[in-house]
């Protein structure tokens, strides 16, 4: 037990019953991240908490997060991703914003490259080679889009599960035998499915494996999207089952909507629903021009969502350029100030879209250059663009 505040050195504590202790012994190997001591937190506890908490639309639980940060200078965060096609701006820019906040607060961040999970979920026609090429492409995007790679690591699920199968599969089996099928099926949302669908048997394995990932990676914080909430809650329920006192904190980030009216999230299978990380300047201009953006309306307005979470997530200001007869140029230094003008219809959707287009193009320009000049990255992108996106 960590003696700095009563929390464990890792969240994977020794269960109190004999059966769980045997399970623990079978899964005792820790995946380590080298922490750069030069990036040790220079912030106060309150500053660290505020920075970490700003990443999540929801946190379960806030008091546990504060206690964790008090006890551990370098908590481990994790997110898993299926390599399933081109990367859109939520996975790229928004994720880099969140990771940079977390590492600034002293956290380490593990990306779990879920290639076997994409295979289980029939992504890219279940072709593992295509899935792994796509995973490599996604890592190239993150390296180029402004993510601080200090204290960030990428681990491939296929490599770890293959090399440490006795550790991993015992955990998966233990989770599977403790929860009934309806509870597991409730997690179908994590795969882009719903629990009413007729699922393949592989898609029943999937939630049990993702739950096991949390413990295999010794994650203190599950930092995934709101759409992954149900399986993260399963991990906390599993802690109750094995009488593990300290549970992983769930820090669920906001899900950017699609650009079309009524789209709750972006879709890789609908190229017009999202800005992709290597879209041309003209692609971005056309997509934003067509995007749903009703005058004076904030709710379910994707352009305002992009401004709030992406533009002001990365930048301190946004300048609207317009003719004097339309109000002249104006620089906003907060999203709230911009939203107020938009609701009052002192800011026209057309002017907002022009500023948003400029800001997004500036953010993804380094990615475009990387894929244009780096031979390996360019080859990966060419391959990924040819792959058929499957649901």
């Amino acid at each position: 037990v960590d003696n700095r505040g009563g929390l464990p050195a890792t969240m994977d504590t020794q269960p109190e019953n004999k059966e769980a202790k045997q399970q623990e012994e079978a899964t005792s190997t820790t995946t380590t991240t080298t922490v750069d001591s030069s990036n040790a937190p220079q912030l106060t506890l309150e500053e660290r908490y505020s920075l970490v908490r700003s990443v999540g639309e929801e946190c379960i639980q806030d008091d546990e997060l504060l206690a964790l940060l008090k006890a551990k200078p370098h908590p481990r965060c994790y997110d898993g991703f299926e390599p399933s096609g081109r990367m859109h701006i939520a996975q790229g820019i928004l994720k880099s914003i969140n990771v940079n906040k977390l590492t600034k607060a002293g956290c380490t961040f593990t990306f779990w490259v879920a290639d076997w999970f994409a295979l289980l979920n029939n992504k890219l026609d279940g072709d593992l080679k295509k899935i792994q090429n796509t995973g490599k492409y996604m890592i190239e995007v993150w390296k180029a889009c402004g993510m601080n790679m200090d204290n960030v690591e990428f681990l491939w699920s296929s490599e770890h599960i293959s090399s440490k199968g006795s550790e991993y599969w015992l955990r998966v089996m233990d989770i599977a035998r403790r929860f009934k099928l309806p509870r597991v099926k409730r997690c179908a949302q994590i795969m882009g499915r719903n629990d009413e669908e007729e699922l393949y048997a592989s898609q029943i394995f999937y939630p049990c494996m993702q739950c096991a990932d949390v413990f295999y990676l010794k994650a203190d914080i599950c930092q995934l999207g709101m759409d992954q909430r149900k399986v993260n809650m399963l991990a906390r329920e599993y802690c109750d089952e094995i009488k593990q006192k300290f549970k992983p904190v769930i820090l669920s980030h906001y899900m950017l909507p699609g650009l079309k009216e009524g789209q709750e999230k972006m879709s890789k299978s609908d190229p017009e629903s999202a800005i992709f990380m290597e879209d041309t300047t003209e692609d971005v201009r056309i997509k934003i021009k067509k995007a749903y953006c009703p005058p004076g309306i904030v709710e379910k307005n994707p352009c305002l969502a992009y401004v709030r979470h992406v533009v002001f997530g990365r930048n301190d200001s946004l300048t609207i350029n317009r003719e004097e007869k339309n109000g002249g140029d104006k620089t906003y230094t907060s999203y709230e100030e911009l939203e107020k003008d938009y609701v009052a219809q002192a800011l026209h959707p057309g002017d907002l879209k022009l500023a948003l287009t400029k800001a997004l193009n500036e953010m993804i320009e380094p990615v475009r250059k990387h894929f244009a000049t780096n031979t390996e990255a360019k080859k990966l992108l060419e391959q990924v663009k040819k792959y058929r996106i499957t649901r």
Side-chain angles (χ1 to χ4, degrees):
V1 174
D2 189 319
N3 60 15
R4 288 166 294 182
L7 284 179
T10 69
M11 298 300 289
D12 196 9
T13 60
Q14 292 284 349
E16 296 175 3
N17 59 64
K18 181 179 179 182
E19 183 181 63
K21 283 184 178 180
Q22 291 172 343
Q23 173 68 19
E24 177 66 18
E25 289 170 1
T27 57
S28 60
T29 300
T30 302
T31 303
T32 59
T33 303
T34 301
V35 176
D36 183 355
S37 60
S38 67
N39 281 351
Q42 302 300 315
L43 307 175
T44 66
L45 174 62
E46 291 73 20
E47 289 170 334
R48 292 175 66 212
Y49 173 80
S50 179
L51 197 55
V52 172
R53 185 62 183 85
S54 70
V55 168
E57 181 177 14
E58 177 185 73
C59 178
I60 302 173
Q61 301 284 348
D62 286 308
D63 59 335
E64 294 176 17
L65 175 60
L66 184 62
L68 172 66
L69 294 173
K70 182 178 180 181
K72 296 187 73 172
H74 302 291
R76 180 188 293 274
C77 305
Y78 115 93
D79 189 0
F81 67 94
E82 278 187 355
S84 57
R86 294 171 63 201
M87 184 184 288
H88 51 58
I89 202 165
Q91 288 180 302
I93 299 298
L94 187 57
K95 191 66 197 179
S96 71
I97 291 168
N98 289 339
V99 170
N100 288 351
K101 287 180 178 180
L102 292 165
T103 55
K104 182 178 179 180
C107 300
T108 63
F109 202 99
T110 297
F111 281 99
W112 186 238
V113 189
D115 49 350
W116 273 12
F117 290 77
L119 176 63
L120 286 170
N121 203 15
N122 296 318
K123 294 299 177 72
L124 299 177
D125 294 313
D127 187 320
L128 189 58
K129 181 64 175 177
K130 290 180 180 179
I131 290 167
Q132 291 176 337
N133 282 339
T134 303
K136 293 174 185 176
Y137 145 82
M138 295 177 80
I139 293 172
E140 290 295 325
V141 174
W142 278 315
K143 288 179 178 178
C145 76
M147 184 182 290
N148 182 351
M149 290 297 167
D150 292 342
N151 301 325
V152 173
E153 65 178 356
F154 296 91
L155 305 179
W156 290 77
S157 66
S158 56
E159 293 179 3
H160 277 262
I161 296 171
S162 294
S163 64
K164 299 176 182 177
S166 60
E167 301 172 22
Y168 187 85
W169 291 114
L170 279 173
R171 179 74 76 178
V172 173
M173 289 188 287
D174 193 50
I175 292 166
R177 73 182 187 84
R178 290 175 184 271
F179 294 97
K180 297 187 184 303
L181 188 58
R183 177 63 184 91
V184 174
K185 289 183 69 176
R186 275 168 48 200
C187 297
Q189 183 186 13
I190 68 176
M191 301 173 285
R193 318 284 170 179
N194 65 67
D195 54 12
E196 301 298 322
E197 285 187 52
E198 186 175 4
L199 301 176
Y200 287 95
S202 63
Q203 292 165 332
I204 302 299
F205 296 162
Y206 192 121
C208 298
M209 290 173 64
Q210 185 168 328
C211 182
D213 294 342
V214 177
F215 301 93
Y216 176 79
L217 295 170
K218 310 292 189 264
D220 297 309
I221 299 174
C222 299
Q223 205 293 281
L224 298 89
M226 286 294 294
D227 60 339
Q228 305 296 303
R229 182 184 187 278
K230 290 181 180 179
V231 76
N232 292 330
M233 288 301 298
L234 185 69
R236 289 177 62 90
E237 292 168 25
Y238 177 67
C239 289
D240 291 333
E241 286 286 322
I242 62 173
K243 296 181 171 55
Q244 178 170 304
K245 181 178 180 181
F246 298 103
K247 303 174 183 179
V249 173
I250 303 174
L251 193 64
S252 303
H253 62 250
Y254 173 78
M255 302 291 291
L256 275 180
L259 292 172
K260 297 179 180 179
E261 183 178 2
Q263 287 184 320
E264 293 186 359
K265 59 184 289 188
M266 289 175 277
S267 171
K268 293 178 182 178
S269 60
D270 181 3
E272 298 303 310
S273 74
I275 303 298
F276 291 92
M277 291 300 295
E278 351 72 29
D279 275 348
T280 66
T281 54
E282 186 65 7
D283 289 335
V284 175
R285 186 190 70 80
I286 292 172
K287 289 181 182 182
I288 296 298
K289 184 177 181 179
K290 292 180 179 179
Y292 179 64
C293 192
I297 304 298
V298 175
E299 187 178 2
K300 298 182 179 180
N301 186 326
C303 290
L304 285 177
Y306 272 50
V307 170
R308 180 175 188 172
H309 295 280
V310 179
V311 177
F312 278 102
R314 173 70 66 85
N315 301 331
D316 295 326
S317 65
L318 179 66
T319 298
I320 305 294
N321 297 120
R322 56 193 173 188
E323 296 181 8
E324 286 297 329
K325 64 180 181 180
N326 295 325
D329 295 351
K330 183 170 183 177
T331 297
Y332 294 96
T333 56
S334 73
Y335 169 76
E336 290 73 20
E337 180 189 9
L338 182 146
E339 183 187 285
K340 183 178 179 180
D341 272 6
Y342 191 82
V343 170
Q345 298 194 38
L347 174 57
H348 190 274
D351 296 322
L352 176 68
K353 286 182 174 185
L354 288 174
L356 175 58
T357 298
K358 181 180 178 182
L360 295 179
N361 272 320
E362 288 174 352
M363 288 185 195
I364 64 178
E365 182 59 25
V367 179
R368 294 189 193 111
K369 288 183 177 178
H370 179 68
F371 281 96
T373 58
N374 183 288
T375 303
E376 182 60 27
K378 184 176 182 179
K379 180 180 177 182
L380 285 168
L381 177 58
E382 289 171 352
Q383 290 174 329
V384 170
K385 282 185 172 181
K386 294 176 183 177
Y387 297 159
R388 184 175 74 92
I389 305 299
T390 54
R391 181 177 178 275

